[in-house]
Amino acid sequence: DGFRRDVKNRALILSRDAYLGSQRNGTMVWSSDIYPTWDAFKRQVPTGLDFTASGMAYWTNDVGGWQYLPAEHHPAHPPLLDPSDARENVGGYDDYPELYTRWFEYGTFLPIMRTHGSRKYNEVWSYGKQAEPILEKYLKLRYQLMPYLYSLGYKTYQTGAPFMRALFMDFPNDPNIADIRDEYMFGPAFLVAPVTEQGATSREVYLPAGTDWYNYWTNERVRGGQAIKVDAPIEVLPLFVRAGAIVPLGSAIENTGQEQKIEKVRVYPGADSEFTLYNDDGKTYAYEMGEFKTTHLRWDDAAQKLTRQGTPAWTEPDERILEIVKR
């Protein structure tokens, strides 16, 4: 109430712990001052899924870990990224550029993406020449997905349901997913399977039954209800898109204060689907007074046609905006 009284812009409270119901007060929670280790990284995935399953949607962690890096660390496997030109930042932690990059890839698909810690530098160019283009790639992807993310936030505001979800929440009839704790859904479209093992360049991914899936990077279409081995070189986060998904993509921006236009609406055929695209001023509580815009998108798979209702979200002809994935 004090925030609303004294500050015009929306309140945001960053907390390391909270009680059920605190999500009503603009609270996001992070996993505290964790260690910069592969074990700590691996634990973040199931921890986040347990947390959001409690009904508190906005969970995050310190990408790369918060605590100081050890003076030396020599991994069991050769590092996938050369640390030699990042020594001023990572010291003798030989595989830290690899750890940070894998963590950054995962962080791109968290409700709140935060890179934070006790390192000397934290820019994308601070972890070596080999890491820099990979980090840049995922940072740009995060901004490109902002229309999708913001619309997911609107859905959470309406329903209270989290948009980072353990697989059982979306596929309750698939008995094979009950114990899977290292994959998750990110909204209705994306299945995310982080690589949390040092030196790994592939991992097994289970694709839930009842739908087909597309490999995000290759557009290969795969039948659900099976576990597959997925190539995952250091620059690739195993990422799949559910058939029928509608994914709005924004234009290139450098921060969320800049105006962002809808650049593409990408559809992954295979099922009928709907998606509500949402936008407002991004700062104030005016949305509570009805000052927002929604565009309802509907994909008819049989007709291979996308229709829209509501406020126009783009001015270009639909054929310039619509991108139907084919493989």
Side-chain angles (χ1 to χ4, degrees), residues 230-275:
V230 180
D231 290 335
I234 185 61
E235 71 275 10
V236 173
L237 166 74
L239 183 64
F240 289 83
V241 187
R242 189 175 184 171
I246 301 171
V247 182
L249 300 170
S251 58
I253 55 173
E254 294 183 351
N255 61 73
T256 55
Q258 296 178 337
E259 181 182 359
Q260 187 178 39
K261 297 180 179 180
I262 299 298
E263 189 170 75
K264 292 288 181 183
V265 173
R266 188 175 295 164
V267 176
Y268 293 80
D272 294 340
S273 61
E274 299 180 5
F275 188 86

Side-chain angles (χ1 to χ4, degrees), residues 150-151 154 260 277-282 291-295:
Y150 204 59
S151 299
Y154 171 64
Q260 187 178 39
L277 187 59
Y278 174 87
N279 200 12
D280 59 27
D281 66 20
E291 295 185 24
F292 60 85
K293 301 174 182 178
T294 58
T295 307

Side-chain angles (χ1 to χ4, degrees), residues 178-228:
D179 296 323
I180 295 178
R181 296 173 58 79
D182 61 350
E183 304 175 23
Y184 60 93
M185 293 298 295
F186 194 64
F190 293 102
L191 184 149
V192 186
V195 176
T196 59
E197 300 291 339
Q198 192 276 318
T201 56
S202 66
R203 66 155 288 175
E204 183 178 281
V205 176
Y206 179 77
L207 300 174
T211 182
D212 285 354
W213 298 88
Y214 289 82
N215 184 311
Y216 178 80
W217 307 109
T218 67
N219 291 335
E220 178 187 5
R221 186 168 172 173
V222 185
R223 176 178 51 83
Q226 61 174 326
I228 61 173

